[in-house]
């Protein structure tokens, strides 16, 4: 994409926000989908977050650290919030937030049990669209709990579609659209479509409220919501906050303007008298229970909703419009201009995405890409967590148990986070996860590089990073160790912005590089315990991929030398080397840094392939594969012969150095040549093109040509790693040949599990023992392209193995891309593999264009599994579609 093209209106808005001419990002979809059951809201002594703050309690108990809602928005510090609430006249409670099972209730861990779709969004949130499918009959809360409770780990999850609640079109399609007239003028349209043939009633409450920041101490001023004006056709509600200032909500006239307080109902929670009769669940009591005293007749509070009782004829749509802005004097808030702004913003969104991806694509591919981008943007969330305050407790609240001071995250008291962050999934994972975050930023960089850069800056700042250099892993355990992919993300953000927008932001690269040095040092000092250049690291984000929990104490004692940990650090070295070489073009000081990482990489590769731990190599010559090695206390070394991604991750440690780079950086070039000549035992994995002179392109790789062929032979074998939908996390070989490891007390087994996890390890909600995962597949594709860049078209492998079809590594990378994209495309039967055996999605016109970007995918049939809205790293599909169409100018 040429950077010389005229800016679209969306890009102009982003430029205005960047230059602080207008604050287009101040308002966005920053509400969580689930605040209850999180570590932040947990004040128990034993860290039982799911039990301490339940879904049932979320209706009447005020949150401390954030808010949740359906299709909601807020300002960037979540002071004022807006979302949808409704009732079908059948449910036991008002629908104010999405329902799902806790980790204990689900047979495969926590699991949202709703049907909602993030259809469109722009980086400035100038236009947003969201669809929620609401059953007209009683929502099957208890059926979902009971059925999943009866199912075990070997059975699939029981989903809401399995209940039949949507049969015969007995549901409402509730679509909300937002369009910004200015950075402080947000137009809202709510469309309610009755999909059934019979007339149905829906109780709609568009809800505006303040996050409760006043109940925790006496120094915070309580904000207010009150009627500003009540005209014939519409009412104006004033929201007054001492920090945010005043905003006004325009809503169509109704006799029922409901006010209550966003405060805990202590009478309901603990049978303690409330200070006020107006509490958080006041609207529920008023609508569902018919308690007219539950809302404030004085029309003032901190939570407000206009109440519309709608009678909607069969197969018809009714629309409610609202407007939230900084102007109380609009004469005609819902005139023709209102509709014109919506049409204009939608058109501008189309123009923006056409600008981002101008290459010819089928309507199907464009729809997949657009919804993937929408999901990434809808998964932004305001994240607030101050651990020292969380541990100490608040002045106006009971003091937390002393045991908490020694519990999870207690040694991270420097954490002070109050940012809008890209989340993996705002219901199942409504908190940042360090390595997930890096993958989100790749597709985000294509549409909003400024946001992507700021996200990486957040993680490397002192109120995130530990003073010892460690990055916080994820909310449940900041001490967990994730793959160090942040340097890779920094380099990819830099190159994507350079290619797509013509901007080389070296200041960003240098600033991040300096902080990454601290983290790299932490890895070297903490995870290479014996100082021999092989690494441990623990579970490394791959949850249950190991024979036993790699993040805990080993049942045998001793230690685990990890093939993937060592490879991740080797990749880290190369990423840092690449960044240092780029910075050295402007500052020769970085040549020395590049030389250091070059040298460090060679030592790691040599240890990985030849020394290992105390003489044990991680490369198994007989099998032609890398394995973790168990070092027993008696000095014995055992290869844990599981064919998994652990053995393929060494492929990711690869880069090339151009001859032009070597010419421009003579000091670094001399250092490279010195190692080649004087440390042949270390430079054996440094390849140099023969006959190309002193400054030939160099290949730095963990694997040499022989190992590369052996690994690809297994990776491209459809009876092992290669599925129709990408590379499996564990080889299918283990379906018939499970790996067993016996101790004195127990036998540990790993088989091929292509679907949900059959172990409760790490909560049981993720499975790395067979399914296809996007992040590793994406990195493998990049690695293949780097190898091809060096070896060229003459290096060919059979793909798939046994087919007789010989491909270059570039062609293999395209084939893997195709298989990943095929997960979402209709097959020859018109069915999308992601929705395997889900009739509504495959055959119903009101469902078949809707998409879910799941956490991982069935290793044999491509069905979506795990978290259903993890557009975070599965959002990489948007980048794959972009680059595939760019390669050829049309889809492949």
């Amino acid at each position: 994409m040429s950077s010389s093209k005229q800016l679209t209106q969306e890009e102009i808005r982003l430029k205005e926000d960047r230059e602080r001419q207008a604050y287009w990002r101040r308002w966005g979809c920053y509400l969580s989908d689930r605040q209850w059951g999180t570590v932040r809201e947990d004040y128990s002594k034993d860290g039982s977050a799911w039990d301490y703050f339940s879904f049932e309690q979320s209706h009447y108990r005020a949150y401390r650290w954030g808010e949740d809602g359906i299709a909601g928005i807020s300002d960037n510090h979540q002071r004022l919030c807006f979302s949808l609430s409704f009732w079908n006249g059948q449910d036991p409670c008002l629908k104010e937030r999405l329902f799902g099972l806790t980790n204990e209730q689900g047979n495969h861990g926590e699991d949202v049990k709703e049907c909602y779709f993030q259809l469109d969004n722009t980086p400035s949130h100038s236009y947003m669209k969201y669809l929620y499918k609401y059953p007209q009959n009683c929502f099957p809360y208890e059926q979902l709990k009971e059925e999943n409770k009866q199912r075990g780990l070997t059975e699939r999850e029981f989903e809401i579609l399995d209940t039949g609640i949507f049969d015969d079109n007995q549901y409402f399609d509730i679509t909300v659209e937002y369009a910004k007239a200015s950075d402080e003028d947000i137009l809202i349209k709510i469309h309610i479509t009755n999909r059934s043939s019979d007339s149905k009633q829906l109780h709609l409450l568009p809800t505006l409220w303040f996050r409760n920041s006043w109940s925790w101490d006496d120094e915070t001023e309580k904000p207010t919501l009150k009627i500003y004006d009540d005209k014939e056709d519409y009412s104006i509600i004033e929201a007054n906050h001492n920090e945010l200032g005043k905003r006004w909500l325009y809503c169509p006239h109704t006799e029922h303007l409901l006010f209550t307080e966003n405060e805990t109902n202590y009478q309901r929670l603990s049978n303690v008298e409330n200070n006020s009769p107006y509490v958080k669940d006041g609207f529920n009591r008023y609508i569902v229970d018919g308690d007219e005293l539950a809302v404030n007749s004085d029309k003032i509070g901190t939570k407000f909703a206009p109440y519309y009782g709608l009678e909607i004829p069969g197969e018809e749509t009714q629309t409610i419009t609202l407007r939230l802005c900084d102007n109380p004097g609009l004469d005609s808030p819902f005139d023709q201009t209102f509709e014109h702004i919506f049409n204009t913003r939608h058109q501008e969104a189309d123009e923006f995405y056409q600008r981002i991806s101008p290459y010819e694509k089928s309507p199907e591919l464009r729809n997949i890409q657009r919804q993937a981008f929408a999901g990434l943007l809808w998964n932004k969330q305001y994240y607030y967590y101050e651990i020292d305050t969380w541990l100490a407790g608040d002045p106006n609240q009971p003091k937390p148990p002393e045991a908490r001071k020694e519990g999870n995250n207690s040694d991270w008291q420097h954490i002070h986070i109050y940012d809008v962050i890209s989340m993996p999934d705002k219901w199942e994972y409504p908190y940042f996860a360090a390595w997930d975050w890096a993958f989100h930023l790749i597709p985000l960089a294509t549409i909003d590089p400024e946001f992507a850069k700021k996200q990486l800056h957040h993680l490397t700042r002192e109120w995130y990073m530990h003073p010892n250099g460690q990055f916080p892993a994820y909310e449940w355990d900041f001490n967990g160790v994730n793959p160090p992919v942040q340097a890779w993300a920094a380099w990819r953000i830099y190159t994507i912005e350079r290619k797509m927008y013509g901007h080389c932001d070296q200041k960003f690269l240098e600033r991040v590089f300096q902080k990454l040095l601290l983290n790299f040092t932490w890895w070297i000092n903490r995870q290479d315990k014996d100082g021999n250049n092989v690494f441990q690291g623990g579970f490394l984000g791959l949850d249950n991929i190991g024979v036993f929990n790699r993040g805990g104490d080993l049942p045998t004692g001793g230690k685990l030398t990890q093939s993937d940990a060592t490879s991740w650090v080797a990749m880290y070295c190369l990423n840092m080397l690449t960044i240092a070489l780029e910075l050295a073009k402007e500052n020769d000081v970085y040549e020395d840094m590049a030389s250091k990482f070059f040298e460090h990489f060679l030592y790691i590769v040599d240890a990985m392939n030849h020394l290992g731990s105390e003489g044990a190599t991680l490369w198994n010559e007989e099998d032609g594969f890398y394995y973790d090695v168990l070092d027993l206390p008696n000095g014995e070394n055992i290869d844990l012969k599981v064919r998994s991604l652990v053995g393929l991750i060494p492929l990711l440690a690869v880069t090339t150095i151009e001859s032009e780079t070597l010419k421009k950086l003579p000091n670094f070039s001399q250092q490279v040549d010195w190692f080649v000549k004087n440390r042949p035992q270390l430079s054996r994995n440094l390849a140099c093109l023969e006959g190309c002179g002193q400054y030939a392109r160099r290949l730095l790789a963990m694997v040499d040509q022989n190992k590369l062929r052996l690994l690809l032979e297994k990776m491209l074998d459809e009876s092992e790693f290669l599925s129709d939908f990408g590379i499996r996390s564990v080889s299918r070989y283990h379906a018939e040949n499970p790996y067993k490891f016996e101790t004195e007390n127990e036998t540990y087994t790993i088989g091929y599990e292509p679907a949900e996890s059959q172990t409760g390890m790490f909560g049981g909600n993720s499975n790395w023992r067979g399914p296809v995962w996007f992040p590793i597949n994406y990195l493998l594709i990049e690695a293949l392209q780097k190898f091809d860049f060096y070896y060229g078209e003459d290096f060919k492998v059979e793909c798939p193995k046994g087919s007789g079809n010989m491909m270059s590594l570039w062609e293999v990378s395209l084939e893997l891309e195709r298989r990943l994209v095929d997960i979402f495309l209709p097959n020859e039967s018109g069915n999308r593999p992601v929705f395997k055996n889900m009739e509504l999605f495959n055959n119903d016109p009101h469902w078949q264009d809707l998409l879910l970007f799941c956490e991982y995918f069935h290793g044999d049939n491509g069905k979506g599994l795990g978290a259903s809205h993890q557009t975070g790293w599965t959002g990489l599909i948007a980048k794959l579609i972009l680059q595939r169409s760019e390669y050829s100018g049309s889809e492949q």
Side-chain angles (χ1 to χ4, degrees):
M1 183 180 69
S2 172
S3 60
S4 62
K5 289 184 179 180
Q6 184 177 358
L7 297 180
T8 64
Q9 288 300 310
E10 175 64 13
E11 289 171 294
I12 290 173
R13 283 188 284 271
L14 295 175
K15 182 174 183 290
E16 290 175 347
D17 187 271
R18 182 171 62 251
E19 296 174 354
R20 301 192 177 186
Q21 298 173 5
Y23 294 93
W24 288 99
R25 287 191 180 92
R26 173 173 287 161
W27 294 91
C29 45
Y30 307 145
L31 281 184
S32 178
D33 289 337
R34 175 178 62 82
Q35 183 71 13
W36 60 272
T38 61
V39 172
R40 279 158 290 154
E41 301 295 341
D42 176 24
Y43 284 79
S44 67
K45 65 179 181 180
D46 57 356
S48 55
W50 288 109
D51 299 323
Y52 183 78
F53 204 136
S54 66
F55 173 74
E56 288 73 21
Q57 291 178 356
S58 68
H59 302 303
Y60 55 84
R61 182 173 167 183
Y63 297 124
R64 170 63 176 87
W65 297 98
E67 294 288 342
D68 57 20
I70 299 174
I73 62 172
S74 76
D75 67 277
N76 58 343
H77 292 290
Q78 206 167 91
R79 292 161 291 202
L80 183 61
C81 309
F82 173 89
S83 73
L84 305 186
S85 302
F86 25 79
W87 186 50
N88 57 13
Q90 305 292 321
D91 288 350
C93 60
L94 193 67
K95 176 67 72 171
E96 294 183 278
R97 56 190 51 81
L98 299 170
F99 169 73
L101 304 181
T102 70
N103 187 268
E104 292 296 321
Q105 292 171 333
N107 63 320
H108 294 288
E110 61 265 35
D111 188 24
V112 67
K113 299 297 185 183
E114 303 270 16
C115 291
Y116 59 103
F117 305 89
Q118 299 145 340
L119 299 180
D120 211 351
N121 211 325
T122 59
S124 71
H125 310 299
S126 58
Y127 179 75
M128 300 186 285
K129 187 176 182 180
Y130 181 110
L131 169 64
Y132 176 76
K133 290 183 176 286
Y134 185 38
Q136 293 169 349
N137 294 315
C138 190
F139 195 93
Y141 292 108
E142 295 306 316
Q143 184 183 6
L144 288 164
K145 290 180 185 177
E146 290 303 316
E147 183 61 35
N148 280 283
K149 182 179 180 180
Q150 295 172 17
R151 297 193 177 196
L153 287 168
T154 60
E155 299 173 277
R156 70 174 184 85
E157 295 172 340
F158 183 72
E159 305 293 1
I160 188 170
L161 290 183
D162 297 326
T163 69
I165 195 71
F166 294 103
D167 291 354
D168 301 320
N169 291 331
Q170 297 292 304
Y171 66 92
F172 298 102
D173 269 344
I174 301 176
T175 304
V176 61
E177 292 180 279
Y178 298 93
K180 292 182 180 179
S182 72
D183 58 338
E184 289 289 352
D185 189 357
I186 306 165
L187 285 54
I188 306 165
K189 289 201 298 188
I190 305 167
H191 311 280
I192 303 99
T193 300
N194 177 6
R195 290 296 178 197
S196 74
S197 57
D198 300 324
S199 182
K200 296 288 183 179
Q201 189 177 48
L202 179 76
H203 305 261
L204 176 67
L205 292 89
T207 305
L208 185 72
W209 76 99
F210 289 108
R211 177 170 61 85
N212 190 326
S213 58
W214 59 88
S215 292
W216 323 112
D217 61 59
D218 294 322
E219 298 180 0
T220 302
E221 183 179 336
K222 186 176 180 178
T224 58
L225 290 164
K226 64 181 182 180
I227 297 175
Y228 177 83
D229 201 353
D230 199 3
K231 298 182 180 294
E232 182 178 351
D233 295 331
Y234 60 89
S235 300
I236 307 175
I237 308 302
E238 181 181 276
N240 188 2
H241 190 282
N242 67 317
E243 291 180 0
L244 184 63
K246 292 182 179 181
R247 299 295 188 279
W248 291 269
L249 179 71
Y250 293 77
C251 52
H253 177 74
T254 172
E255 295 180 0
H256 305 284
L257 299 176
L258 309 182
F259 290 82
T260 188
E261 301 290 346
N262 182 24
E263 297 196 33
T264 297
N265 185 343
Y266 288 102
Q267 180 70 43
R268 176 75 184 275
L269 178 66
S270 53
N271 201 29
V272 174
E273 184 177 354
N274 292 316
N275 294 327
S276 165
Y278 313 116
V279 287
K280 182 177 179 179
D281 60 329
F283 297 164
N284 184 82
R285 290 160 55 200
Y286 180 86
I287 299 296
V288 179
D289 301 335
D291 182 1
E292 295 186 359
L293 299 178
V295 296
N296 192 342
S297 59
D298 291 334
K299 306 295 184 183
I300 191 169
T302 50
K303 183 177 179 181
F304 161 78
Y307 165 43
Y308 304 101
L310 306 176
E311 188 69 34
I312 307 176
E315 302 178 2
E316 292 192 11
T317 300
Q318 291 187 16
T319 299
I320 299 293
T321 56
L322 303 99
R323 191 165 187 163
L324 179 63
C325 66
D326 60 350
N327 184 357
L330 297 177
D331 292 331
S332 302
F334 305 114
D335 61 10
Q336 292 181 347
T337 305
F338 186 93
E339 190 64 30
H340 174 73
I341 292 170
F342 264 99
N343 293 336
T344 300
R345 293 295 178 262
H346 188 268
Q347 180 182 349
E348 290 169 353
D350 290 343
E351 291 170 353
F352 172 73
Y353 283 110
Q354 180 63 30
R355 152 94 159 128
I356 295 301
S357 185
Y359 315 102
E360 182 182 349
K361 285 184 286 294
S362 69
E364 280 290 355
L365 284 173
R366 197 165 287 281
N367 178 48
I368 295 166
Q369 186 182 54
R370 184 75 166 260
Q371 288 192 49
F373 279 133
L376 279 161
L377 294 170
W378 271 101
N379 270 332
K380 289 183 182 180
Q381 179 188 314
Y382 172 73
Y383 186 84
Y384 180 33
Y385 195 16
E386 295 180 358
I387 289 188
D388 55 351
T389 302
W390 177 73
L391 289 171
D394 296 295
N396 288 349
Q397 300 295 316
K399 192 173 182 180
E402 285 296 312
R404 285 165 47 81
K405 295 181 179 179
E406 305 297 327
N408 276 5
N409 300 337
S410 58
D411 53 347
W412 288 78
Q413 294 192 39
H414 68 285
I415 289 282
H416 277 239
I417 303 175
Y418 37 87
D419 298 307
V420 172
I421 291 175
S422 174
M423 296 292 162
D425 178 320
K426 288 202 300 188
W427 197 96
E428 301 218 18
Y429 306 111
Y431 44 80
F432 80 89
W435 86 299
D436 301 56
W437 208 354
F439 293 103
H440 306 179
L441 303 185
I442 305 310
L444 282 170
T446 67
I447 58 174
D448 192 356
E450 194 67 25
F451 177 77
K453 289 184 290 185
K454 284 185 176 180
Q455 293 287 285
L456 202 52
H457 277 312
H458 288 329
L459 183 62
T460 58
R461 294 306 298 266
E462 54 271 25
W463 45 85
Y464 284 75
M465 180 188 285
H466 198 282
N468 66 17
Q470 184 180 6
F471 288 139
Y474 67 127
E475 185 177 280
W476 286 91
D477 182 11
F478 284 147
N479 280 315
V481 181
N482 286 166
V485 290
Q486 288 72 32
W488 166 78
W491 176 248
R492 294 297 289 119
I493 292 168
Y494 176 82
T495 56
I496 288 169
E497 184 180 30
R498 180 177 63 187
K499 178 180 180 181
M500 295 188 67
Y501 299 93
H503 181 214
C504 297
D505 193 346
Q506 285 215 336
K507 286 187 177 180
F508 154 74
L509 205 59
E510 186 170 15
R511 187 177 292 114
V512 171
F513 181 81
Q514 299 297 337
K515 296 298 183 68
L516 289 171
L517 285 173
L518 299 176
N519 180 250
F520 184 84
T521 302
W522 176 84
W523 267 91
I524 299 305
N525 291 338
R526 298 297 182 95
Q527 301 304 317
D528 177 15
K529 295 179 180 178
D530 296 328
N532 57 11
N533 294 302
V534 289
F535 295 82
Q536 289 76 48
F539 82 109
L540 284 173
L542 306 186
D543 292 9
N544 65 349
I545 202 167
V547 180
F548 25 72
N549 181 0
R550 302 193 304 167
D553 295 332
L554 301 179
T556 60
K559 68 182 181 189
L560 190 66
T561 300
Q562 295 176 232
S563 172
D564 55 334
T566 306
S567 303
W568 285 121
V569 178
M571 176 183 167
Y572 200 172
C573 271
L574 293 182
N575 297 145
M576 295 293 277
L577 166 63
T578 302
I579 294 173
L581 291 175
E582 180 71 10
L583 296 174
K585 294 176 183 178
E586 302 294 329
N587 185 345
D588 59 9
V589 169
Y590 286 97
E591 285 192 72
D592 292 339
M593 299 298 298
S595 297
K596 179 63 178 176
F597 283 109
F598 171 78
E599 178 182 349
H600 210 133
F601 173 75
L602 294 186
Y603 279 109
I604 292 173
V605 172
D606 189 62
M608 177 84 169
N609 288 305
H610 303 289
L611 298 178
S613 176
E614 299 178 2
T617 177
L618 297 172
W619 173 258
N620 187 287
E621 194 67 44
E622 181 181 356
D623 292 358
F625 204 72
Y626 287 102
Y627 298 119
D628 285 348
V629 173
L630 180 62
D631 304 323
L632 297 176
N634 63 5
E636 183 183 358
N637 300 310
I638 299 175
D639 285 357
L640 300 178
K641 293 190 175 184
V642 181
R643 295 183 191 173
S644 73
L645 288 177
V646 166
L648 296 180
I649 287 175
L651 292 170
L652 307 182
V654 55
T655 196
T656 58
I657 303 176
E658 292 302 293
S659 60
E660 287 300 314
T661 299
L662 294 170
K663 289 178 183 178
K664 291 178 181 178
L665 305 175
N667 292 334
F668 174 73
S669 179
Q670 290 173 11
Q671 187 75 357
V672 169
D673 290 339
W674 187 91
F675 263 92
V676 170
K677 295 175 182 177
N678 296 283
R679 294 289 186 269
Q681 77 280 10
L682 291 178
S683 61
R684 69 191 83 186
N685 287 285
L686 174 63
C688 179
L689 288 176
E690 294 181 2
C692 292
Q694 183 179 1
Y695 297 109
R697 176 182 296 161
R698 307 296 174 94
L699 175 73
L700 293 173
M702 177 74 78
V703 300
D704 59 21
Q705 188 172 147
N706 179 57
K707 290 184 175 67
L708 175 62
R709 289 191 179 278
L710 289 171
L711 289 174
L712 292 181
E713 186 175 320
K714 289 183 175 61
M715 191 178 93
L716 302 178
D717 186 340
E718 291 181 315
S719 68
E720 292 223 30
F721 286 99
L722 183 62
S723 82
D724 288 341
F725 307 101
I727 301 301
R728 302 175 174 110
S729 46
V730 164
S731 170
R732 207 175 190 284
Y733 165 83
H734 290 300
E736 302 297 330
N737 303 277
Y739 178 79
K740 295 184 178 181
F741 181 86
E742 295 185 358
T743 67
E744 292 182 1
N745 302 315
E746 193 168 352
T747 298
Y748 296 85
T749 303
I750 287 189
Y752 171 66
E753 302 170 13
E756 293 96 347
S757 176
Q758 296 184 23
T759 171
M761 194 182 300
F762 287 93
N765 57 346
S766 296
N767 181 25
W768 289 84
R769 294 185 175 183
V772 172
W773 290 77
F774 258 71
I776 303 298
N777 271 263
Y778 188 84
L779 291 175
L780 286 169
I781 288 168
E782 281 199 350
L784 289 170
Q785 292 174 349
K786 291 176 184 176
F787 277 116
D788 177 82
F789 192 54
Y790 178 76
Y791 287 118
E793 294 183 358
D794 293 337
F795 187 100
K796 294 185 181 294
V797 293
E798 193 176 27
C799 180
K801 181 183 177 182
S803 66
N805 186 23
M806 303 302 293
M807 292 186 181
S808 69
L809 298 185
W810 176 261
E811 290 169 330
V812 172
S813 77
L814 296 182
E815 176 64 14
L816 292 184
E817 289 180 354
R818 181 191 67 78
R819 293 182 183 225
L820 291 169
V821 173
D822 279 352
I823 292 172
F824 302 99
L825 283 171
N827 57 25
E828 61 279 1
S829 301
N831 300 330
R832 301 179 196 271
V834 63
F835 295 131
K836 176 75 174 176
N837 297 326
M838 301 172 77
E839 291 300 316
L840 278 175
F841 283 104
N842 289 318
N843 299 312
D844 191 299
H846 302 306
W847 294 72
Q848 60 189 191
D849 291 330
L850 305 173
L851 292 162
L852 293 176
F853 300 91
C854 300
E855 185 178 5
Y856 54 94
F857 301 88
H858 195 291
D860 292 334
N861 59 42
K863 182 178 180 180
L865 300 167
S868 59
H869 291 72
Q870 193 159 342
T871 320
W873 59 25
T874 303
L876 288 163
I877 188 66
K879 178 63 169 66
L880 288 177
I881 292 172
L882 173 64
Q883 64 195 43
R884 283 181 62 76
S885 57
E886 180 185 1
Y887 296 152
S888 63
S890 63
E891 73 273 11
Q892 299 184 22

